[in-house]
């Protein structure tokens, strides 16, 4: 936790709920992170491909962090708060209490995580309908979307979950609900993960065709019938209860939320790069791609008109930047894959106990190997190859059933072997980014520069390998917590200190 601040300053709070933790930041009017803090959150895996969390625990951690963050700050200086989160599915009953999403019946386990792939069969069946709504999802329904998860709950937990459920919310919308008491949903979540169309609303035939016609009841009350563009004020601001929970003033402005990747994209894609001699300088934002890389990766590209990219989600109007269309590529496992490969290797136990971060150690070790072998780092692993889709391919192949592969292994299990496997994994992930870029370019995108944020953007070798593989310049934000900056922008917009999320006041 960093501390400080002026009594004349105006602040905005950004709260980011990632896969494994909650983070929060106090951000000044000019985009400076005054203080930050974070806490881990629990993940349970009751069955293979089932990943669940607790919405109560997540909200409690949000409250704990915001209280800690704003300690010693005059609450009148905090003008707005914005939330982003993973696109996980929260299930509540009619009294807004948790409903269990697994057969074990543990009520607190009421969140189906974004990376939960239990609904692969349901996703395949939805794709087979050929419904027109699939055109906005790259033509293929992903098990990471909400419709197949809802269908799985209906088919497998009809009595214990489906019959009890009164509200299904995306996690970002759950947070704004807890903050305000309003069930208004963000267009970002509904458009990107629920098949909602801003111009036409819910498509009755889609829900009927896939066997979820009961969601049409009472004007779609279970999945939302009120929407808001990201950053617009939700309800009357913080409710009395939420203000007490968060340690802020009642009525503090709350902005309609964003999915975490979209908050990261918002935090970096409009960065001021004048004087850096980049190909995107003095060109439209449509020449930029935001790459948000953490547990998974999202590749966010925007266009003036709708572009339909096979195997890539979208186009979504105003889902991240107002009045521009968004295409979202991605990799279902990046940081998670790196952890899996490194920590599962026999040589991991041989690491010296210096306290040095594992990837910093491996980067340095690869540096020593390049010197010893007089070889560029890219060529060290020329005989070792990884296919990275251990958790399926999100895009552009859009096949959740694909699995990973390593070619070129020997019987050796030294630290050198581990370092080379780590390198081959980085190269595979970078080649995946290149595959997405090439597919988007073929569909009409003109991307000249990559803007990175997220945990992996702090790994210099990950960044360098991506630059080498794509042949494009990469830009890193001066404020390294770009996702938190993006969340704070939502609070600033809701407070009317910022007139539009499309006109950024926070620079990178």
């Amino acid at each position: 936790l960093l501390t400080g601040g002026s009594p004349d300053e105006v602040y905005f709070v950004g709260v980011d709920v990632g896969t494994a933790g909650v983070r929060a930041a106090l951000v000044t009017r000019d985009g400076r992170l005054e203080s930050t803090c974070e806490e881990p959150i629990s993940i349970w895996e009751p069955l293979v491909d089932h990943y669940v969390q607790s919405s109560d625990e997540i909200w409690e951690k949000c409250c704990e962090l915001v209280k800690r963050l704003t300690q010693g700050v005059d609450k009148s200086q905090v003008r707005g708060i914005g939330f982003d989160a993973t696109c996980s599915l929260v299930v509540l009953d009619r009294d807004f209490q948790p409903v269990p999403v697994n057969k074990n019946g543990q009520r607190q386990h009421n969140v189906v995580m974004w990376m939960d792939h239990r609904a692969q069969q349901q996703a395949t069946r939805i794709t087979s309908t050929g419904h027109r709504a699939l055109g906005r999802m790259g033509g293929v329904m992903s098990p990471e979307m909400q419709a197949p998860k809802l269908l799985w709950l209906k088919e497998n937990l009809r009595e214990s979950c489906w019959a009890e459920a009164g509200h299904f919310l995306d996690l970002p919308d759950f947070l704004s609900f807890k903050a305000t008491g309003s069930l208004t949903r963000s267009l970002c979540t509904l458009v990107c993960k629920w098949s909602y169309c801003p111009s036409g609303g819910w498509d009755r035939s889609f829900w009927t065709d896939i066997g979820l016609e009961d969601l049409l009841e009472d004007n779609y009350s279970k999945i939302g019938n009120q929407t808001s563009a990201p950053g617009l004020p939700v309800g009357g601001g913080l409710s009395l209860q939420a203000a007490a929970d968060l340690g802020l003033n009642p009525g503090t402005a709350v902005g309609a939320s964003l999915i975490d990747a979209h908050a990261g994209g918002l935090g970096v894609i409009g960065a001021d790069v004048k004087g850096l001699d980049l190909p995107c300088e003095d060109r439209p934002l449509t020449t930029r791609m935001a790459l948000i890389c953490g547990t998974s990766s999202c590749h966010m590209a925007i266009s003036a008109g709708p572009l339909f990219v096979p195997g890539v989600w979208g186009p979504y109007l105003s889902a991240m930047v107002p009045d521009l269309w968004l295409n979202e590529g991605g990799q279902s496992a990046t940081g998670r894959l790196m952890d899996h490969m490194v920590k599962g290797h026999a040589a991991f136990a041989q690491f010296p106990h210096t306290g040095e971060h594992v990837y910093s150690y491996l980067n340095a070790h690869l540096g020593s190997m390049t010197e010893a072998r007089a070889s560029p780092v890219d060529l060290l692993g020329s005989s070792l190859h990884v296919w990275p889709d251990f958790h399926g391919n999100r895009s552009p192949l859009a096949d959740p059933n694909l699995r990973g592969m390593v070619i070129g292994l020997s019987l050796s299990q030294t630290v050198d072997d581990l370092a080379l496997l780590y390198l081959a994994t980085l190269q595979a992930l970078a080649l995946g980014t290149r595959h997405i870029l090439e597919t988007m370019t073929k569909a009409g995108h003109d991307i000249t520069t990559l803007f990175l944020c997220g945990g992996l953007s702090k790994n210099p070798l990950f960044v360098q390998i991506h630059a080498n593989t794509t042949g494009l310049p990469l830009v890193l934000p001066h404020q390294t917590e770009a996702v938190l900056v993006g969340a704070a922008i939502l609070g600033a917009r809701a407070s009317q200190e910022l007139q539009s999320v499309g006109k950024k006041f926070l620079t990178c």
Side-chain angles (χ1 to χ4, degrees):
L1 176 65
L2 312 175
T3 58
S6 162
D8 299 321
E9 185 62 83
V10 170
Y11 297 109
F12 308 98
V13 173
V15 179
D16 164 50
V17 179
T19 298
V22 179
R23 303 182 304 148
L26 192 65
V27 181
T28 62
R29 193 198 306 265
D30 62 356
R32 177 171 45 84
L33 270 69
E34 187 70 41
S35 53
T36 62
C37 51
E38 59 184 293
E39 285 284 341
I41 50 178
S42 304
I43 299 173
W44 294 276
E45 187 180 1
L47 294 170
V48 175
D49 278 341
H50 289 225
Y51 296 94
V52 300
Q53 291 181 312
S54 164
S55 64
D56 280 352
E57 182 196 28
I58 290 169
W59 178 246
E60 288 167 4
K61 291 294 179 71
C62 291
C63 295
E64 178 184 332
L65 290 184
V66 173
K67 276 186 173 179
R68 190 191 312 171
L69 193 70
T70 58
Q71 202 169 26
V73 174
D74 187 328
K75 301 307 183 287
S76 66
Q77 294 176 262
V78 180
R79 301 293 176 80
I81 182 169
F83 297 91
D84 73 74
T86 64
C87 50
S88 300
L89 176 67
V90 180
V91 186
L92 305 175
D93 67 17
R94 293 163 185 81
D95 297 319
F96 303 102
Q97 298 304 305
V99 176
V101 293
N102 274 294
K103 293 180 180 178
N104 58 24
Q106 294 189 47
R107 185 165 288 275
Q108 292 304 310
H109 296 180
N110 71 313
V111 180
V112 184
M113 292 185 68
W114 66 269
M115 63 186 186
D116 186 304
H117 278 197
R118 71 180 72 178
Q120 286 191 22
Q121 183 187 81
Q122 286 75 15
T124 300
R125 281 168 27 213
I126 293 172
T127 297
S128 70
T129 67
H131 195 278
R132 59 178 176 268
L134 296 168
R136 300 189 296 272
M137 304 171 193
V140 180
M141 176 59 72
S142 166
E144 295 178 12
M145 297 285 190
Q146 305 300 11
K149 293 175 180 175
L150 290 165
L151 188 56
W152 188 95
L153 293 175
K154 179 178 180 179
E155 292 177 346
N156 292 273
L157 300 176
R158 183 179 290 270
E159 297 303 322
S160 61
C161 177
W162 192 255
E164 295 295 320
H167 306 277
F168 299 104
L169 300 100
D170 224 273
L171 183 53
D173 293 324
F174 167 80
L175 297 175
S176 60
F177 159 71
K178 290 294 288 187
T180 66
S182 170
L183 286 169
T184 297
R185 266 69 161 190
S186 169
L187 281 173
C188 175
T189 60
L190 292 193
V191 170
C192 294
K193 306 301 174 186
W194 294 73
S195 80
Y196 189 86
C197 181
S199 60
W202 292 117
D203 189 326
R204 296 177 63 90
S205 66
F206 172 73
W207 297 109
T208 300
D209 286 0
I210 67 173
L212 291 176
E213 62 281 350
D214 30 352
L215 293 179
L216 277 58
E217 296 173 1
D218 194 21
N219 190 27
Y220 302 96
S221 63
K222 289 185 177 181
I223 57 175
N225 49 37
Q226 300 176 44
T227 63
S228 177
L232 291 184
V234 178
L238 289 181
S239 67
L240 290 173
Q241 182 61 58
D245 292 342
L246 293 161
L248 297 175
N249 288 338
T252 300
V254 177
S257 57
L258 281 170
I259 299 166
D260 55 348
H262 300 64
L266 181 63
V268 296
I269 204 164
D272 182 0
V273 295
K274 289 188 181 300
L276 298 181
D277 196 28
L278 290 168
C280 66
E281 185 175 349
D282 298 322
R283 296 191 64 194
L285 290 182
T286 53
T287 61
R288 307 178 179 199
M289 172 182 278
L291 174 52
I292 302 88
C293 39
T295 305
S296 64
S297 288
C298 295
H299 303 68
M300 320 291 276
I302 50 180
S303 56
L307 295 176
F308 293 86
V309 186
V312 172
W313 296 340
Y316 303 133
L317 179 61
S318 298
M320 186 173 76
V321 179
D323 303 320
L324 292 175
W325 296 83
L326 171 69
N327 282 112
E328 179 185 350
Q331 295 162 301
S332 293
T334 46
R336 185 163 173 249
L337 177 62
M338 290 162 58
D339 287 345
H340 176 78
M341 300 294 267
V342 169
K343 295 179 181 179
H345 194 279
F348 182 69
Q350 302 175 32
F351 274 24
H353 299 287
T354 61
E356 189 175 13
H357 192 280
V358 57
Y359 296 115
S360 297
Y361 176 83
L362 285 170
N363 290 348
H365 192 83
L366 286 166
S368 299
M369 292 175 68
T370 62
E371 293 178 8
R373 302 186 187 187
S375 169
V377 68
D378 301 81
L379 300 182
L380 286 178
S382 57
S383 62
L384 186 64
H385 309 284
V386 172
W387 182 267
D389 295 325
F390 283 53
H391 200 51
N393 182 283
R394 186 185 297 168
S395 56
L397 301 179
D399 185 349
N401 295 307
L402 282 178
R403 289 297 176 260
M405 179 167 52
V406 183
I407 300 173
L409 290 173
S410 70
L411 292 176
S412 178
Q413 293 183 323
T414 66
V415 172
D416 278 6
D417 296 313
L418 171 53
L420 292 177
L421 181 62
Y422 162 65
L423 173 63
T425 303
L426 294 184
Q427 291 172 325
L429 293 171
L431 285 165
T433 291
R434 178 171 165 174
H435 192 187
I436 292 168
L437 276 166
E438 290 173 345
T439 304
M440 286 191 173
T441 299
K442 188 175 181 180
H445 281 282
D446 179 22
I447 297 163
T448 66
T449 312
L450 300 182
F451 289 73
L452 269 64
C453 66
L456 293 182
S457 70
K458 301 171 188 177
N459 182 329
L461 187 58
F462 178 90
V463 174
Q464 186 61 58
I465 294 296
H466 266 73
N468 296 351
T469 303
T470 64
L472 296 179
L474 271 60
V475 180
L476 300 177
H478 176 65
Q479 295 286 358
T480 56
E481 302 297 347
V483 177
L484 287 169
V485 171
I489 290 175
L490 302 175
R493 173 67 182 96
S495 72
Q496 299 187 348
E497 293 281 342
L498 179 67
Q499 293 307 305
S500 168
V501 295
K503 182 181 180 182
K504 286 184 50 187
F505 75 115
L506 299 168
T507 59
C508 299

